[in-house]
Coordinates of all heavy atoms in Angstrom, one line a residue:
M1 N 150.9 94.2 71.4 CA 151.7 95.3 70.7 C 151.1 96.6 71.0 O 149.9 96.8 71.0 CB 151.7 95.0 69.2 CG 152.7 95.9 68.5 SD 152.4 95.7 66.7 CE 152.5 94.0 66.4
A2 N 151.9 97.6 71.2 CA 151.4 99.0 71.5 C 150.7 99.5 70.2 O 151.1 99.2 69.1 CB 152.6 99.9 71.8
A3 N 149.7 100.3 70.5 CA 148.8 100.9 69.4 C 149.5 102.1 68.7 O 150.1 102.9 69.4 CB 147.5 101.3 69.9
L4 N 149.4 102.1 67.4 CA 149.9 103.3 66.7 C 149.1 104.5 67.1 O 147.9 104.5 67.2 CB 149.8 103.1 65.2 CG 150.8 102.2 64.5 CD1 150.4 102.1 63.0 CD2 152.2 102.8 64.6
L5 N 149.8 105.7 67.3 CA 149.1 106.9 67.6 C 148.6 107.6 66.3 O 149.3 107.4 65.2 CB 150.0 107.8 68.3 CG 150.6 107.3 69.7 CD1 151.5 108.3 70.3 CD2 149.4 107.1 70.6
T6 N 147.6 108.3 66.4 CA 147.1 109.1 65.2 C 147.9 110.3 65.0 O 148.7 110.7 66.0 CB 145.6 109.5 65.4 OG1 145.6 110.4 66.5 CG2 144.7 108.3 65.7
D7 N 147.8 110.9 63.9 CA 148.6 112.2 63.6 C 148.3 113.2 64.7 O 149.1 113.9 65.2 CB 148.2 112.8 62.3 CG 148.8 111.9 61.1 OD1 149.7 111.1 61.4 OD2 148.4 112.1 60.0
R8 N 147.0 113.3 65.1 CA 146.6 114.3 66.1 C 147.2 114.0 67.4 O 147.7 114.9 68.2 CB 145.1 114.3 66.1 CG 144.6 115.4 67.1 CD 143.1 115.5 67.2 NE 142.8 116.5 68.2 CZ 141.8 117.3 68.1 NH1 141.1 117.3 67.1 NH2 141.6 118.2 69.1
Q9 N 147.2 112.7 67.8 CA 147.8 112.3 69.1 C 149.3 112.6 69.1 O 149.8 113.0 70.1 CB 147.5 110.8 69.3 CG 146.1 110.5 69.7 CD 145.8 109.0 69.7 OE1 146.3 108.2 68.9 NE2 145.0 108.5 70.7
I10 N 149.9 112.4 68.0 CA 151.3 112.6 67.9 C 151.6 114.1 68.1 O 152.5 114.6 68.8 CB 151.9 112.1 66.5 CG1 151.9 110.6 66.5 CG2 153.3 112.7 66.3 CD1 152.1 110.0 65.2
E11 N 150.8 115.0 67.4 CA 151.0 116.4 67.5 C 150.8 116.8 69.0 O 151.5 117.7 69.5 CB 150.0 117.2 66.6 CG 150.4 117.1 65.2 CD 149.3 117.5 64.3 OE1 148.3 118.2 64.7 OE2 149.3 117.2 63.1
E12 N 149.8 116.3 69.7 CA 149.5 116.6 71.1 C 150.7 116.2 71.9 O 151.1 116.9 72.9 CB 148.2 115.9 71.5 CG 147.0 116.6 71.0 CD 145.7 115.8 71.2 OE1 145.8 114.7 71.8 OE2 144.7 116.3 70.8
Q13 N 151.2 115.0 71.7 CA 152.4 114.5 72.5 C 153.6 115.4 72.3 O 154.3 115.7 73.2 CB 152.7 113.1 72.1 CG 151.6 112.1 72.5 CD 151.8 111.5 73.9 OE1 152.6 112.0 74.6 NE2 151.1 110.5 74.2
L14 N 153.8 115.9 71.0 CA 155.0 116.7 70.7 C 154.9 118.0 71.5 O 155.9 118.6 71.8 CB 155.1 116.9 69.2 CG 155.7 115.6 68.5 CD1 155.6 115.9 67.0 CD2 157.1 115.3 68.9
L15 N 153.7 118.5 71.7 CA 153.5 119.8 72.4 C 154.1 119.7 73.8 O 154.5 120.7 74.4 CB 152.1 120.2 72.5 CG 151.5 120.7 71.2 CD1 150.0 120.9 71.4 CD2 152.2 121.9 70.6
Q16 N 154.1 118.4 74.4 CA 154.6 118.2 75.7 C 156.1 118.0 75.7 O 156.7 117.8 76.8 CB 153.9 117.0 76.4 CG 152.4 116.9 76.2 CD 151.7 118.1 76.8 OE1 152.1 118.6 77.9 NE2 150.7 118.7 76.1
L17 N 156.7 117.9 74.6 CA 158.1 117.5 74.5 C 158.9 118.5 73.6 O 159.3 118.2 72.4 CB 158.3 116.1 73.8 CG 158.0 114.9 74.7 CD1 157.9 113.6 73.9 CD2 159.0 114.8 75.8
P18 N 159.1 119.7 74.1 CA 159.9 120.7 73.3 C 161.2 120.1 72.9 O 161.9 119.4 73.6 CB 160.1 121.8 74.3 CG 159.0 121.7 75.3 CD 158.8 120.2 75.4
G19 N 161.6 120.4 71.6 CA 162.9 120.0 71.1 C 162.8 118.7 70.3 O 163.7 118.4 69.5
W20 N 161.7 118.0 70.5 CA 161.5 116.8 69.6 C 160.7 117.1 68.4 O 159.8 117.9 68.5 CB 160.8 115.7 70.5 CG 161.6 115.1 71.5 CD1 161.8 115.6 72.8 CD2 162.5 113.9 71.4 NE1 162.7 114.7 73.5 CE2 163.1 113.7 72.7 CE3 162.7 113.0 70.4 CZ2 163.9 112.7 72.9 CZ3 163.6 111.9 70.7 CH2 164.2 111.8 71.9
A21 N 161.0 116.5 67.3 CA 160.3 116.7 66.1 C 160.0 115.4 65.4 O 160.7 114.4 65.5 CB 161.1 117.6 65.1
R22 N 158.9 115.4 64.6 CA 158.5 114.2 63.9 C 159.2 114.2 62.5 O 159.3 115.2 61.8 CB 157.0 114.2 63.7 CG 156.6 112.9 63.0 CD 155.1 113.0 62.8 NE 154.6 111.7 62.2 CZ 153.4 111.4 61.9 NH1 152.4 112.3 62.2 NH2 153.1 110.2 61.4
T23 N 159.8 113.1 62.2 CA 160.3 112.9 60.9 C 159.7 111.6 60.3 O 160.3 110.5 60.6 CB 161.9 112.8 60.9 OG1 162.3 111.8 61.9 CG2 162.5 114.1 61.2
G24 N 158.6 111.7 59.7 CA 157.9 110.5 59.2 C 157.4 109.6 60.3 O 156.6 110.0 61.2
N25 N 157.9 108.4 60.4 CA 157.5 107.4 61.4 C 158.3 107.5 62.7 O 158.3 106.5 63.5 CB 157.5 106.0 60.8 CG 156.3 105.7 60.0 OD1 155.3 106.4 60.1 ND2 156.4 104.6 59.2
E26 N 159.1 108.5 62.8 CA 160.0 108.6 64.0 C 159.9 110.0 64.6 O 159.3 110.9 64.0 CB 161.5 108.5 63.5 CG 161.8 107.2 62.8 CD 163.3 107.2 62.4 OE1 163.9 108.2 62.1 OE2 163.8 106.1 62.4
I27 N 160.3 110.1 65.9 CA 160.6 111.4 66.5 C 162.1 111.5 66.7 O 162.7 110.4 67.0 CB 159.8 111.6 67.7 CG1 160.0 110.5 68.8 CG2 158.3 111.9 67.4 CD1 159.3 110.8 70.1
E28 N 162.6 112.7 66.7 CA 164.1 112.8 66.9 C 164.4 114.1 67.6 O 163.6 115.1 67.5 CB 164.9 112.7 65.6 CG 164.7 113.9 64.7 CD 165.7 113.7 63.5 OE1 165.9 112.6 62.9 OE2 166.3 114.8 63.1
Q29 N 165.5 114.1 68.2 CA 166.1 115.3 68.8 C 167.6 115.2 68.8 O 168.2 114.1 69.0 CB 165.6 115.6 70.2 CG 166.2 116.9 70.8 CD 165.6 117.4 72.0 OE1 166.1 118.4 72.5 NE2 164.6 116.7 72.6
V30 N 168.3 116.3 68.5 CA 169.7 116.4 68.6 C 170.1 117.1 69.9 O 169.6 118.2 70.2 CB 170.4 117.2 67.4 CG1 171.9 117.2 67.6 CG2 169.9 116.6 66.1
F31 N 170.8 116.4 70.8 CA 171.3 116.9 72.1 C 172.7 117.3 71.9 O 173.5 116.5 71.4 CB 171.1 115.8 73.1 CG 169.7 115.5 73.4 CD1 169.1 114.4 72.7 CD2 169.0 116.1 74.4 CE1 167.8 114.0 73.0 CE2 167.6 115.8 74.7 CZ 167.1 114.7 74.0
T32 N 173.1 118.5 72.4 CA 174.4 119.0 72.3 C 175.1 119.1 73.7 O 174.4 119.6 74.6 CB 174.4 120.4 71.6 OG1 173.8 120.3 70.3 CG2 175.8 120.9 71.4
F33 N 176.3 118.7 73.8 CA 177.1 118.7 75.0 C 178.4 119.5 74.9 O 178.7 119.9 73.8 CB 177.3 117.2 75.5 CG 176.0 116.5 75.7 CD1 175.4 115.8 74.6 CD2 175.4 116.5 76.9 CE1 174.2 115.2 74.8 CE2 174.1 115.9 77.1 CZ 173.6 115.2 76.0
A34 N 179.1 119.6 76.0 CA 180.3 120.4 75.9 C 181.3 119.8 75.1 O 182.1 120.4 74.4 CB 180.8 120.7 77.3
D35 N 181.4 118.4 75.1 CA 182.4 117.7 74.4 C 182.0 116.3 74.2 O 180.9 115.9 74.5 CB 183.8 117.8 75.1 CG 183.6 117.4 76.6 OD1 182.7 116.6 76.9 OD2 184.5 117.8 77.4
F36 N 182.9 115.5 73.6 CA 182.6 114.1 73.3 C 182.3 113.3 74.6 O 181.4 112.4 74.6 CB 183.9 113.5 72.6 CG 183.7 112.0 72.2 CD1 182.8 111.7 71.3 CD2 184.5 111.0 72.7 CE1 182.6 110.3 70.9 CE2 184.4 109.7 72.4 CZ 183.4 109.4 71.4
L37 N 183.1 113.6 75.7 CA 182.8 112.8 76.9 C 181.4 113.1 77.5 O 180.8 112.2 78.0 CB 183.9 113.2 78.0 CG 185.3 112.7 77.8 CD1 186.2 113.1 78.9 CD2 185.3 111.1 77.7
G38 N 181.0 114.3 77.3 CA 179.6 114.7 77.7 C 178.6 113.9 76.9 O 177.6 113.4 77.4
A39 N 178.8 113.8 75.6 CA 177.9 113.1 74.7 C 177.9 111.6 75.1 O 176.8 111.0 75.2 CB 178.4 113.2 73.3
I40 N 179.0 111.0 75.4 CA 179.1 109.6 75.7 C 178.4 109.3 77.1 O 177.7 108.3 77.3 CB 180.6 109.1 75.7 CG1 181.2 109.1 74.3 CG2 180.7 107.7 76.3 CD1 180.5 108.2 73.4
A41 N 178.6 110.2 78.0 CA 178.0 110.1 79.4 C 176.5 110.1 79.2 O 175.8 109.3 79.9 CB 178.5 111.2 80.3
F42 N 176.0 110.9 78.4 CA 174.5 111.0 78.2 C 174.0 109.6 77.6 O 173.0 109.1 78.1 CB 174.2 112.1 77.2 CG 172.8 112.1 76.6 CD1 171.7 112.3 77.5 CD2 172.6 112.0 75.3 CE1 170.4 112.3 76.9 CE2 171.4 112.0 74.7 CZ 170.3 112.2 75.6
V43 N 174.7 109.1 76.6 CA 174.3 107.8 76.0 C 174.4 106.7 77.1 O 173.5 105.9 77.2 CB 175.3 107.5 74.8 CG1 175.0 106.1 74.3 CG2 175.0 108.5 73.7
N44 N 175.4 106.8 77.9 CA 175.5 105.7 79.0 C 174.3 105.9 80.0 O 173.7 104.9 80.4 CB 176.8 105.8 79.7 CG 177.9 105.1 79.0 OD1 177.7 104.1 78.4 ND2 179.1 105.7 79.1
R45 N 173.8 107.1 80.2 CA 172.7 107.3 81.2 C 171.4 106.7 80.6 O 170.6 106.4 81.4 CB 172.5 108.8 81.5 CG 173.6 109.4 82.4 CD 173.2 110.7 83.0 NE 173.0 111.8 82.1 CZ 173.9 112.5 81.5 NH1 175.2 112.3 81.8 NH2 173.6 113.5 80.7
L46 N 171.3 106.7 79.3 CA 170.0 106.3 78.8 C 169.9 104.8 78.6 O 168.8 104.2 78.3 CB 169.6 107.0 77.5 CG 170.5 106.9 76.2 CD1 170.2 105.6 75.5 CD2 170.2 108.1 75.3
V47 N 171.0 104.1 78.8 CA 171.0 102.6 78.6 C 170.0 101.9 79.5 O 169.2 101.1 79.1 CB 172.4 102.1 78.8 CG1 172.4 100.5 78.9 CG2 173.4 102.5 77.7
E48 N 170.1 102.3 80.8 CA 169.2 101.6 81.8 C 167.7 101.8 81.6 O 167.0 100.9 81.5 CB 169.6 102.0 83.2 CG 168.9 101.1 84.2 CD 169.3 101.5 85.7 OE1 170.3 102.1 85.9 OE2 168.4 101.2 86.5
P49 N 167.3 103.1 81.4 CA 165.9 103.3 81.1 C 165.4 102.6 79.8 O 164.3 102.1 79.7 CB 165.7 104.8 81.0 CG 167.0 105.4 81.3 CD 168.0 104.4 81.7
A50 N 166.3 102.6 78.8 CA 165.9 101.9 77.6 C 165.8 100.4 77.8 O 164.8 99.8 77.3 CB 166.9 102.2 76.5
E51 N 166.7 99.8 78.5 CA 166.6 98.4 78.8 C 165.4 98.1 79.6 O 164.7 97.1 79.4 CB 167.9 97.9 79.5 CG 169.0 97.6 78.6 CD 168.7 96.4 77.7 OE1 168.8 95.3 78.2 OE2 168.5 96.7 76.5
T52 N 165.1 98.9 80.6 CA 164.0 98.7 81.5 C 162.7 98.7 80.7 O 161.7 97.9 80.9 CB 163.9 99.7 82.6 OG1 165.1 99.6 83.4 CG2 162.7 99.6 83.5
A53 N 162.6 99.7 79.7 CA 161.4 99.8 78.9 C 161.3 98.7 77.8 O 160.3 98.5 77.2 CB 161.4 101.2 78.3
G54 N 162.5 98.1 77.6 CA 162.5 97.1 76.4 C 162.3 97.9 75.1 O 161.8 97.3 74.1
H55 N 162.8 99.1 75.1 CA 162.6 100.0 73.9 C 163.9 100.7 73.7 O 164.4 101.3 74.7 CB 161.4 100.9 74.2 CG 160.8 101.5 73.0 ND1 160.1 100.6 72.1 CD2 160.6 102.7 72.6 CE1 159.6 101.4 71.2 NE2 159.9 102.6 71.4
H56 N 164.4 100.8 72.5 CA 165.8 101.2 72.3 C 165.8 102.3 71.2 O 165.4 102.0 70.1 CB 166.6 100.0 71.9 CG 166.5 98.9 72.9 ND1 165.6 97.9 72.8 CD2 167.2 98.7 74.1 CE1 165.7 97.1 73.8 NE2 166.6 97.6 74.7
P57 N 166.4 103.4 71.5 CA 166.5 104.4 70.5 C 167.6 104.1 69.5 O 168.6 103.4 69.8 CB 166.9 105.7 71.3 CG 167.6 105.1 72.5 CD 167.0 103.8 72.8
D58 N 167.5 104.7 68.3 CA 168.6 104.7 67.3 C 169.5 105.9 67.8 O 168.9 107.0 68.0 CB 168.1 104.9 65.9 CG 167.4 103.7 65.4 OD1 167.5 102.6 66.0 OD2 166.7 103.8 64.3
I59 N 170.8 105.7 67.9 CA 171.7 106.7 68.4 C 172.8 107.0 67.4 O 173.4 106.1 66.9 CB 172.3 106.2 69.7 CG1 171.2 105.9 70.8 CG2 173.2 107.2 70.3 CD1 171.7 105.1 72.0
S60 N 173.0 108.3 67.2 CA 174.1 108.7 66.3 C 174.9 109.7 67.1 O 174.4 110.7 67.6 CB 173.6 109.3 65.0 OG 174.6 109.9 64.3
I61 N 176.2 109.5 67.2 CA 177.1 110.4 67.9 C 178.1 111.1 66.9 O 178.7 110.4 66.1 CB 177.9 109.7 69.0 CG1 177.0 108.9 69.9 CG2 178.8 110.6 69.8 CD1 177.7 108.0 70.9
S62 N 178.1 112.4 67.0 CA 179.1 113.2 66.2 C 179.8 114.2 67.2 O 179.2 115.3 67.5 CB 178.3 113.9 65.1 OG 179.3 114.7 64.3
W63 N 180.9 113.8 67.6 CA 181.7 114.5 68.7 C 180.8 114.9 69.9 O 180.6 114.1 70.7 CB 182.4 115.8 68.1 CG 183.3 116.4 69.2 CD1 184.2 115.8 70.0 CD2 183.3 117.8 69.5 NE1 184.7 116.7 70.9 CE2 184.2 118.0 70.6 CE3 182.6 118.9 69.1 CZ2 184.4 119.2 71.2 CZ3 182.9 120.2 69.7 CH2 183.8 120.3 70.8
N64 N 180.3 116.2 69.9 CA 179.5 116.6 71.1 C 178.0 116.6 70.9 O 177.3 117.1 71.7 CB 179.9 118.0 71.5 CG 179.5 119.1 70.5 OD1 179.4 118.8 69.3 ND2 179.4 120.3 71.0
K65 N 177.6 116.0 69.7 CA 176.2 116.0 69.4 C 175.7 114.5 69.4 O 176.3 113.7 68.8 CB 175.9 116.6 68.1 CG 176.2 118.1 68.1 CD 175.7 118.7 66.8 CE 176.0 120.2 66.7 NZ 176.4 120.9 67.8
V66 N 174.5 114.3 70.0 CA 173.9 113.0 70.0 C 172.5 113.1 69.4 O 171.7 113.8 69.9 CB 173.8 112.4 71.4 CG1 173.2 111.0 71.4 CG2 175.2 112.3 72.1
T67 N 172.3 112.4 68.3 CA 171.0 112.4 67.7 C 170.3 111.1 68.1 O 170.8 110.0 68.0 CB 171.1 112.4 66.1 OG1 171.8 113.5 65.7 CG2 169.7 112.4 65.5
I68 N 169.1 111.3 68.7 CA 168.2 110.2 69.2 C 167.0 110.1 68.3 O 166.3 111.1 68.1 CB 167.8 110.5 70.6 CG1 169.0 110.6 71.6 CG2 166.9 109.4 71.1 CD1 169.8 109.4 71.8
R69 N 166.8 108.9 67.8 CA 165.5 108.7 67.0 C 164.8 107.5 67.6 O 165.3 106.5 68.0 CB 165.9 108.3 65.6 CG 166.6 109.4 64.8 CD 166.7 109.1 63.3 NE 167.4 110.2 62.7 CZ 168.7 110.3 62.6 NH1 169.5 109.4 63.2 NH2 169.3 111.3 62.0
L70 N 163.5 107.7 67.7 CA 162.6 106.7 68.3 C 161.4 106.4 67.4 O 160.8 107.2 66.8 CB 162.0 107.3 69.6 CG 163.0 107.3 70.8 CD1 162.5 108.2 71.9 CD2 163.2 105.9 71.4
S71 N 161.2 105.1 67.3 CA 160.0 104.6 66.6 C 159.7 103.2 67.1 O 160.6 102.6 67.7 CB 160.4 104.5 65.1 OG 159.2 104.1 64.4
T72 N 158.5 102.7 67.0 CA 158.2 101.4 67.5 C 158.1 100.5 66.3 O 157.2 100.5 65.5 CB 156.8 101.4 68.2 OG1 156.9 102.3 69.3 CG2 156.5 100.0 68.8
H73 N 159.2 99.7 66.1 CA 159.4 99.0 64.8 C 158.3 97.9 64.6 O 157.8 97.8 63.5 CB 160.8 98.3 64.8 CG 161.9 99.3 65.1 ND1 162.9 99.0 66.0 CD2 162.1 100.6 64.7 CE1 163.7 100.0 66.1 NE2 163.2 101.0 65.3
D74 N 158.0 97.2 65.7 CA 157.0 96.1 65.5 C 155.6 96.7 65.2 O 154.8 95.9 64.7 CB 157.0 95.1 66.6 CG 157.0 95.7 68.0 OD1 156.8 96.9 68.1 OD2 157.1 94.9 69.0
A75 N 155.3 97.9 65.6 CA 154.0 98.5 65.3 C 154.1 99.3 64.0 O 153.0 99.6 63.5 CB 153.6 99.5 66.4
G76 N 155.3 99.5 63.5 CA 155.4 100.2 62.2 C 155.2 101.7 62.3 O 154.8 102.4 61.3
G77 N 155.5 102.3 63.5 CA 155.3 103.8 63.6 C 155.4 104.2 65.0 O 156.1 103.6 65.8
L78 N 154.8 105.3 65.3 CA 154.9 105.9 66.7 C 153.8 105.5 67.6 O 152.6 105.4 67.3 CB 154.9 107.5 66.5 CG 156.1 108.0 65.9 CD1 155.9 109.4 65.4 CD2 157.3 108.0 66.8
T79 N 154.3 105.1 68.8 CA 153.3 104.7 69.9 C 153.7 105.4 71.2 O 154.7 106.1 71.2 CB 153.4 103.2 70.1 OG1 154.7 102.9 70.7 CG2 153.3 102.3 68.8
E80 N 152.9 105.1 72.2 CA 153.1 105.7 73.5 C 154.5 105.4 74.0 O 155.1 106.2 74.7 CB 152.0 105.2 74.5 CG 151.9 105.9 75.7 CD 151.6 107.4 75.5 OE1 150.7 107.7 74.8 OE2 152.3 108.2 76.1
K81 N 155.0 104.2 73.7 CA 156.4 103.8 74.1 C 157.4 104.8 73.7 O 158.4 105.1 74.4 CB 156.7 102.5 73.5 CG 156.0 101.3 74.1 CD 156.6 100.0 73.4 CE 156.1 98.8 74.1 NZ 156.7 97.6 73.4
D82 N 157.3 105.4 72.5 CA 158.3 106.3 72.0 C 158.2 107.6 72.8 O 159.3 108.2 73.1 CB 158.0 106.6 70.5 CG 158.1 105.3 69.7 OD1 159.2 104.6 69.8 OD2 157.2 104.9 69.0
F83 N 157.0 108.1 73.1 CA 156.9 109.3 73.8 C 157.3 109.2 75.3 O 157.9 110.1 75.9 CB 155.5 109.9 73.6 CG 155.3 110.4 72.2 CD1 154.8 109.6 71.3 CD2 155.8 111.7 71.8 CE1 154.6 110.0 70.0 CE2 155.6 112.1 70.5 CZ 155.1 111.3 69.6
S84 N 157.0 108.0 75.8 CA 157.4 107.8 77.2 C 159.0 107.8 77.3 O 159.5 108.4 78.2 CB 156.9 106.4 77.7 OG 157.4 106.1 78.9
L85 N 159.6 107.1 76.4 CA 161.1 107.0 76.5 C 161.7 108.4 76.1 O 162.7 108.8 76.7 CB 161.6 105.9 75.5 CG 163.1 105.6 75.7 CD1 163.5 105.3 77.1 CD2 163.5 104.5 74.7
A86 N 161.1 109.1 75.2 CA 161.6 110.5 74.8 C 161.5 111.4 76.0 O 162.5 112.1 76.3 CB 160.7 111.0 73.7
Q87 N 160.5 111.3 76.9 CA 160.4 112.1 78.1 C 161.6 111.7 79.0 O 162.2 112.6 79.6 CB 159.1 111.9 78.7 CG 158.9 112.8 80.0 CD 159.0 114.2 79.7 OE1 158.1 114.8 79.0 NE2 160.0 114.9 80.2
Q88 N 161.8 110.4 79.2 CA 162.8 110.0 80.1 C 164.2 110.4 79.6 O 165.1 110.9 80.4 CB 162.8 108.5 80.2 CG 161.6 107.9 81.0 CD 161.7 106.4 81.1 OE1 162.5 105.9 81.9 NE2 160.9 105.7 80.3
I89 N 164.4 110.3 78.3 CA 165.7 110.7 77.7 C 165.9 112.3 77.9 O 167.0 112.7 78.2 CB 165.8 110.3 76.2 CG1 165.9 108.8 76.2 CG2 166.9 111.0 75.5 CD1 165.8 108.2 74.8
T90 N 164.9 113.0 77.7 CA 164.9 114.5 77.9 C 165.4 114.8 79.3 O 166.2 115.7 79.5 CB 163.6 115.1 77.5 OG1 163.3 114.9 76.1 CG2 163.6 116.6 77.8
D91 N 164.8 114.1 80.2 CA 165.1 114.3 81.7 C 166.5 114.0 82.0 O 167.1 114.5 83.0 CB 164.2 113.5 82.5 CG 162.7 114.0 82.4 OD1 162.5 115.1 81.9 OD2 161.8 113.2 82.8
L92 N 167.2 113.2 81.2 CA 168.6 112.7 81.4 C 169.6 113.7 80.8 O 170.8 113.5 81.1 CB 168.8 111.3 80.9 CG 168.1 110.2 81.6 CD1 168.3 108.9 80.7 CD2 168.7 110.0 83.0
A93 N 169.2 114.5 79.9 CA 170.1 115.3 79.0 C 170.8 116.4 79.9 O 170.3 116.8 80.9 CB 169.4 115.9 77.9
Ligands
LIG1 N1 163.0 99.4 70.3 C1 162.4 100.2 69.5 N2 162.7 101.5 69.3 N3 161.3 99.7 68.8 C2 160.9 98.5 68.9 O1 159.9 98.1 68.2 C3 161.6 97.6 69.7 C4 162.7 98.1 70.4 N4 161.2 96.4 69.9 N5 163.4 97.3 71.2 C5 161.7 95.6 71.0 C6 163.2 95.9 71.3 C7 161.5 94.1 70.7 O2 162.2 93.7 69.6 C8 161.8 93.2 71.9 C9 161.5 91.8 71.6 O3 161.1 93.7 73.0

């Protein structure tokens, strides 16, 4: 199982990921697109990297906005897996 990151490690990782914020045991970002189709296309793009990583974001869609939340459930908090996938998702937006 991936190791939980310390508060300090989490802060350091967040410095490398502008737009992402910590909310307790998760990190999240709201991505905004031109319209609903843009939002859905973004969600479709992240399916393959999430499946490849075996790590899956919580996803909420509200017309042109997609909220992505990441946490490592089996570790009970944030691990390297969350930051790795967050970087990949950022690159797809
Ligand atoms: N996704 C996320 N975000 N956190 C997890 O702990 C997690 C997951 N666990 N996807 C994976 C699936 C696990 O249940 C399987 C067995 O790999």
Side-chain angles (χ1 to χ4, degrees):
M1 187 193 306
L4 281 177
L5 299 178
T6 65
D7 287 346
R8 185 182 176 139
Q9 287 172 321
I10 291 167
E11 285 166 21
E12 286 170 357
Q13 292 272 9
L14 285 171
L15 289 176
Q16 313 301 319
L17 283 171
W20 289 86
R22 184 180 183 179
T23 52
N25 278 344
E26 301 179 328
I27 53 172
E28 73 172 39
Q29 182 169 178
V30 180
F31 294 90
T32 301
F33 300 90
D35 52 23
F36 183 64
L37 288 179
I40 294 295
F42 168 62
V43 171
N44 278 325
R45 287 196 297 279
L46 65 78
V47 168
E48 188 181 337
E51 277 294 286
T52 299
H55 204 61
H56 306 93
D58 291 347
I59 302 169
S60 167
I61 304 170
S62 179
W63 184 49
N64 68 334
K65 294 190 187 340
V66 181
T67 303
I68 301 290
R69 293 189 183 84
L70 285 162
S71 185
T72 304
H73 308 135
D74 50 5
L78 289 162
T79 69
E80 194 59 51
K81 286 184 173 183
D82 300 303
F83 289 94
S84 173
L85 190 55
Q87 180 64 64
Q88 292 183 73
I89 289 172
T90 296
D91 293 344
L92 292 171

